Amino acid sequence: MARLHGLLTLRPASRPWQLAVLAAAAVGVAMAGGAIAGNIPAGTNAALGAFAFCALLPGSPRRQFAVVGAMGLGIIAGFVLGTIVAPSGPMAAIGLGLFAAGAVAAVLRGRVGMPGALFPCMSAALATQIALPLAALPQVMLQLGSGVALALAMVGLFRVVAPDLSAPAATPLAWVERSGAVPVVVGLAVAASHALAHLAGVPRPHWAPVSCIAVIQGMSFAAVKTRYAHRVAGTLLGLVPAALLLPLAPHPWLVALAITLLSWGVEALVPRHYGLAVMLITPLALLLAQAAHRGPLALETLLVARALDTVIGSAVALLAGFALVRLDRSRA
């Protein structure tokens, strides 16, 4: 019963409401820019860079700008690496694993906390699927950079509109700080999840490593198990609103509005109930992917691919979390 209560409990709000509004504003401005220019893929690239705002931590203005800026650079670096390794499935898996290991090591060293390495790894994984020609990278990097600039602007605005409020304390990755093997295990898990999804013939295998990194970054093995349940159940339930929203893809302004509202909902719900947040993350991720991808999939294929990738990535993360617990116990 206690386990079930933990899965269903809606926690009290721990973040100022202004953070969710500003995060959605950064994404919304990015998407609106793409809609105005008639270039929604450019808007989604800028929105991806704007997600760096989610790394905002308590502390001095200098540290806040530094952390959000560093997260933005990680998002750009991830996209560059993902584009380079995209032509080969095995190279994509290896590249994503190595990048995830480095990103996790960096966030642990900097004590960034959640969302940790999620957005840089998501950027890298998305790039492996979009598979842009290398010649297009400079333009995409500028678009990502514009989103990071929006995120930094929102950091400054947060300090203006809410000077008496502080960003929420970072949710630590405390359980993994006891083992130096964590980046290695996470990197192997991310590589394995992509490889398994690729071998299974899933059309969009990049979602598997994203689910893996999202689940494994819990504060404890109990938290990993809870996030596993939330991720799988939330994704399956989130396929319903996704099926309703994905037909909006040909309409740039409706897509921009939907992505903005979903971003606000995700930021508002993540600290309260991860499973409910994932119900919105699912249509958000699918809308972003369809808008950014040059060869959109049929609706049914896309929904099935998302479900399979989530199950594969989350299961690998659960096994990796168990391996980390065994490593910790063996060293105790």
Side-chain angles (χ1 to χ4, degrees):
M1 289 300 294
R3 173 72 173 163
L4 181 62
H5 182 267
L7 287 172
L8 301 179
T9 298
L10 190 67
R11 294 183 294 273
S14 60
R15 298 164 62 92
W17 62 267
Q18 291 92 337
L19 286 177
V21 172
L22 291 173
V27 171
V29 171
M31 292 301 303
I36 291 171
N39 188 352
I40 278 294
T44 59
N45 290 335
L48 181 59
F51 284 135
F53 178 78
C54 300
L56 186 66
L57 297 174
S60 67
R62 181 177 179 180
R63 171 162 169 75
Q64 289 181 331
F65 281 108
V67 169
V68 171
M71 185 63 68
L73 290 176
I75 290 171
I76 295 172
F79 200 95
V80 171
L81 179 134
T83 301
I84 292 172
V85 301
S88 166
M91 284 301 299
I94 294 170
L96 289 175
L98 291 174
F99 183 78
V104 168
V107 298
L108 287 176
R109 182 175 179 83
R111 295 187 173 273
V112 173
M114 299 297 286
L118 175 62
F119 289 116
C121 291
M122 182 175 75
S123 178
L126 181 61
T128 64
Q129 193 60 43
I130 296 175
L132 291 173
L134 292 179
L137 261 183
Q139 183 179 16
V140 174
M141 291 172 67
L142 286 175
Q143 294 163 356
L144 291 166
S146 68
V148 176
L150 282 171
L152 291 170
M154 293 303 165
V155 174
L157 189 56
F158 175 70
R159 300 195 68 89
V160 171
V161 302
D164 298 327
L165 296 176
S166 62
T171 301
L173 308 176
W175 77 287
V176 296
E177 290 178 1
R178 298 195 298 269
S179 172
V182 169
V184 176
V185 173
V186 172
L188 289 172
V190 166
S193 62
H194 185 279
L196 288 172
H198 182 74
L199 290 173
V202 181
R204 297 272 174 90
H206 70 286
W207 282 319
V210 175
S211 290
C212 181
I213 195 76
V215 170
I216 201 173
Q217 293 189 130
M219 291 183 291
S220 63
F221 187 51
V224 170
K225 290 189 288 185
T226 298
R227 288 176 75 85
Y228 166 80
H230 282 172
R231 187 80 185 186
V232 173
T235 295
L236 295 178
L237 292 173
L239 294 177
V240 176
L244 298 175
L245 291 173
L246 281 170
L248 299 177
H251 307 286
W253 281 105
L254 292 178
V255 170
L257 178 61
I259 288 175
T260 302
L261 293 176
L262 288 169
S263 298
W264 170 77
V266 169
E267 282 303 300
L269 283 173
V270 159
R272 304 201 67 188
H273 194 283
Y274 184 63
L276 292 178
V278 173
M279 288 182 63
L280 300 184
I281 290 172
T282 298
L284 174 61
L286 290 172
L287 276 174
L288 285 169
Q290 284 293 82
H293 207 276
R294 293 177 295 172
L297 294 175
L299 178 60
E300 297 81 2
T301 303
L302 192 66
L303 297 178
V304 171
R306 176 71 179 188
L308 290 175
D309 277 337
T310 298
V311 171
I312 292 170
S314 299
V316 172
L318 191 64
L319 292 174
F322 179 73
L324 286 171
V325 169
R326 299 288 295 180
L327 281 173
D328 274 351
R329 289 177 180 173
S330 68
R331 296 182 181 190

